[in-house]
Amino acid sequence: FDTYSDDALYALSLLRAQEPCNKPAVGGFSAGANAALATLNRAPREFAGLFLYEGTFFTTDPTIAQHNAAICTDLESKLSHGIAYDASAAVPGLVLQLAQAAPAAPFPIPVFPPGTTNEQAMFYVFGSPPPPGAFAPTPGFVRCITDFSTQSFVYTNEARLKLIGPLFDSYASVAAMRDLACGLGGSDDSHYDRVSEFKGDVLIYVEGTGFGPAMFDTAGLFGPRATVRIDQNAQLGEADAYFHRDWNRVFLAPLRSWLHATL
């Protein structure tokens, strides 16, 4: 995340050269939220606003911390052995592409029960907690609430999910995964230790099966001069708001309203 925040701070310098009197907002979705938090932490007085959609390095919840501590140790070991990336990040995008191209065909990777189709694999991946690892930052992490009896998403627009799916990551940085797990595990505060200096506006999205308590804990990091707004949808999965059938109302409208008030 130092690399991400370096890039963001370089972009910030260009913006400030053009608009020296105006401070920008920074934010993101999932890993983008982590990058935004790390960026703000590098320069907490240089931004007018921060929005975080289901992504943070911080929690006081003992269950989440314990869940991530072992993951942190494993990822640090991988880094020490020169392992720089994790190809399993490509699975969600691959699952969506196969489910769209050949929904009834057998899923080619033997990680699900024999006979699992590409479409069924899609519901497994997005509707069930992943195996323990950095892609499961909380024990009950579920991307999209799924009705397995009808093989359908409850809130997510499947066509929208499949449209955006090919843009998902092809791999994940082990260093970034380590930052996430070690932050949540309580052994690294370097990406949030200065956010209390921030004096702007904060928008935090909290869905029901995402980072959960960690997002509320993160809201508590900000000092009294920051204004924090929480947009909570307890019934939704981690990604349901963004892929929602009515995503303009559920995701975009709160963000647009906040941006108009902030900038």
Side-chain angles (χ1 to χ4, degrees), residues 92-198:
L94 173 64
V95 163
L96 290 171
Q97 292 177 52
L98 292 174
Q100 186 165 21
F107 187 65
I109 304 175
V111 293
F112 300 118
T116 297
T117 66
N118 289 329
E119 184 174 64
Q120 289 170 333
M122 174 184 69
F123 291 119
Y124 280 134
V125 168
F126 286 89
S128 304
F135 296 117
T138 59
F141 186 85
V142 171
R143 294 181 176 91
C144 303
I145 303 299
T146 300
D147 183 343
F148 288 99
S149 67
T150 61
Q151 292 289 285
S152 63
F153 294 117
V154 176
Y155 303 104
T156 277
N157 180 335
E158 185 175 325
R160 175 173 164 78
L161 180 62
K162 289 177 177 177
L163 176 67
I164 298 174
L167 303 177
F168 287 178
D169 295 334
S170 297
Y171 64 92
S173 160
V174 172
M177 294 163 62
R178 176 265 168 212
D179 288 349
L180 170 62
C182 295
L184 291 174
S187 59
D188 182 2
D189 67 354
S190 62
H191 298 302
Y192 58 81
D193 59 345
R194 295 183 59 202
V195 299
S196 62
E197 301 174 26
F198 181 60

